[in-house]
Amino acid sequence: YMYMAVDPTTLLAKDLSGAVVLRVRDSIRGNQFKCDTLKHCTVLLFDQCDSVVADDCQDCTFIIGPTSGSVMLRDCRRCFVGVACQQFRTRDCQEVAVSLYCPTEPVVETSTQITFTPYSVAFPQAGTLFEASGLNLESKNKYFKVHDFSKTDESIPQPHWTVVETVTSIRSYGLPTLPPELPEPLRNALPADIPERKLELDASGMPTSQSVVGQLKWFDQYRGTGLLTTAEGTKFKLLNSKRLGRQHKLCAGASVELKVVTSQKGAQITEVVKCQKPPQDPKAVQSVEPERSARNTKSSATTPKKGRNVHVRHYIDRDYPRMKEFLQASKMFVKSLDNRHVLRKQCDFDPTSILVAEDAAQIVGTVYVLYNPWQAFIYHLCVHPLHRDKGVANLLMDQAEAQLKARGILCPTLFVEEGNTTVSAFYEKRGWFGTDHCLCMGKDL
């Protein structure tokens, strides 16, 4: 197998977005394979490799056949890698999940949030390919014995790496007439009752169907879109799933098992196998249901006792002219923060982050719910002067707090201008409390 002649174009994947790169047996033949500048791609190398190098790849999945030499990732972000190799190394990487068999110590360098789990990937003809690679599967898997070259570098966010010993499922990839295989020594290293998540592929490598288990970070019932994250950290962008989403009442924070078909743009739900709602007050579990027409507002589950025609939804870009007019009328418009470009970027980052209260197609209130895994902020709560004292602010805060609770945030933060006793009293009545040990500071850049 080693270094047999192949077409050089089959040994490189470069400058691709949303593509599936499939290499079957005898297409690599023990040569080096390179990946460069890939985004939202799936790379399936079902052949034996000498070495693999991935540079500047984002939101990609790499399933790499047995590699007799090294696998190197550089400048990669939010990727999943399933590989068995002689050496494994990352440099300048972030949020990479690695399902690994490696008889030597894996190395991380100037990297953060690298997660290592035992090898748990099955693919066609794996037994034959592992024999050709020369990897000794009887050797101890040292996936957990990580060497950190940047251990003392305080400029790199912690944790640099973590080890997760528990594997929740086997990723199983099958091609037409070629079922997936997992060599016996690797299978025996996993729990006997571990489930197998099968992904059947067509001849081009596109999935025909896939079973995924995870948690919905957010779900938009109106559009049928959402984001699901598995226990391994893999993210599925859900598309065009409006009917099943509403039928099964999918919502943020729900634990689900779904069957999906994945395209270049995302995954469409074909079946909801299981959906377990988050353990909280049903009134607080409000799936993202952004845009309803005015004729449907009377049936909204979020109708307050006062202002019965008001409902809350998520802001979308075409709301901007009305949003700007509303903020200006409320004397809350900040040009540097509330211009269309900034709001569009924020919604691209998190479509659920801006809530608006609407009454008869008029925006009468808003609040920004700014979230990241470390902290969350409530910002810019505002109600139109003609709609104050009608329950609109409480309605917005109910939805904002429910969203954060569903995401696991236990103590969000907000800021109140010193001396504004009316606003601080409103928040205190809702259970918010002040602190005397923090000083809010800013800087003009």
Side-chain angles (χ1 to χ4, degrees), residues 163-233:
V163 169
V164 179
E165 297 181 357
T166 303
V167 178
T168 59
S169 63
I170 296 174
R171 288 180 176 234
S172 183
Y173 295 81
L175 289 171
T177 72
L178 292 174
E181 301 175 6
L182 180 61
E184 187 174 348
L186 297 175
R187 181 62 182 85
N188 292 340
L190 301 172
D193 59 349
I194 186 171
E196 186 175 358
R197 302 299 176 189
K198 294 184 178 181
L199 180 64
E200 297 297 330
L201 308 174
D202 61 22
S204 66
M206 292 298 296
T208 54
S209 66
Q210 180 180 11
S211 180
V212 295
V213 176
Q215 185 181 57
L216 287 172
K217 293 301 181 183
W218 58 271
F219 191 81
D220 181 334
Q221 286 191 356
Y222 183 81
R223 296 182 181 85
T225 59
L227 180 67
L228 181 142
T229 302
T230 67
E232 296 89 354

Side-chain angles (χ1 to χ4, degrees), residues 240-256:
N240 304 323
S241 306
K242 184 190 303 184
R243 179 182 63 82
L244 285 171
R246 287 187 171 178
Q247 178 182 339
H248 294 272
K249 298 181 180 179
L250 299 181
C251 64
S255 298
V256 296

Side-chain angles (χ1 to χ4, degrees), residues 358-386:
E358 194 174 49
D359 183 0
Q362 179 186 2
I363 294 177
V364 298
T366 188
V367 65
Y368 297 179
V369 190
L370 308 181
Y371 162 85
N372 65 53
W374 294 279
Q375 181 58 280
F377 295 90
I378 301 290
Y379 173 70
H380 226 9
L381 176 63
C382 174
V383 176
H384 193 282
L386 298 179

Side-chain angles (χ1 to χ4, degrees), residues 39-113:
K39 293 184 178 180
H40 302 284
C41 291
T42 299
V43 180
L44 306 171
L45 306 183
F46 297 157
D47 200 4
Q48 188 259 324
C49 307
D50 168 62
S51 59
V52 176
V53 179
D55 283 308
D56 192 20
C57 297
Q58 299 180 24
D59 302 292
C60 294
T61 295
F62 298 92
I63 305 300
I64 301 172
T67 303
S68 56
S70 65
V71 172
M72 177 73 167
L73 271 65
R74 296 181 295 219
D75 295 303
C76 294
R77 308 282 187 275
R78 300 177 300 281
C79 295
F80 172 84
V81 183
V83 64
C85 58
Q86 188 65 31
Q87 296 178 329
F88 182 85
R89 185 167 182 169
T90 70
R91 188 170 71 201
D92 301 323
C93 294
Q94 295 180 14
E95 298 182 54
V96 176
V98 188
S99 178
L100 179 66
Y101 171 80
C102 189
T104 61
E105 297 178 357
V107 174
V108 297
E109 181 179 0
T110 57
S111 298
T112 182
Q113 299 185 61

Side-chain angles (χ1 to χ4, degrees), residues 1-14:
Y1 254 96
M2 294 298 292
Y3 302 109
M4 295 177 68
V6 296
D7 181 354
T9 61
T10 68
L11 303 178
L12 174 66
K14 184 176 182 180

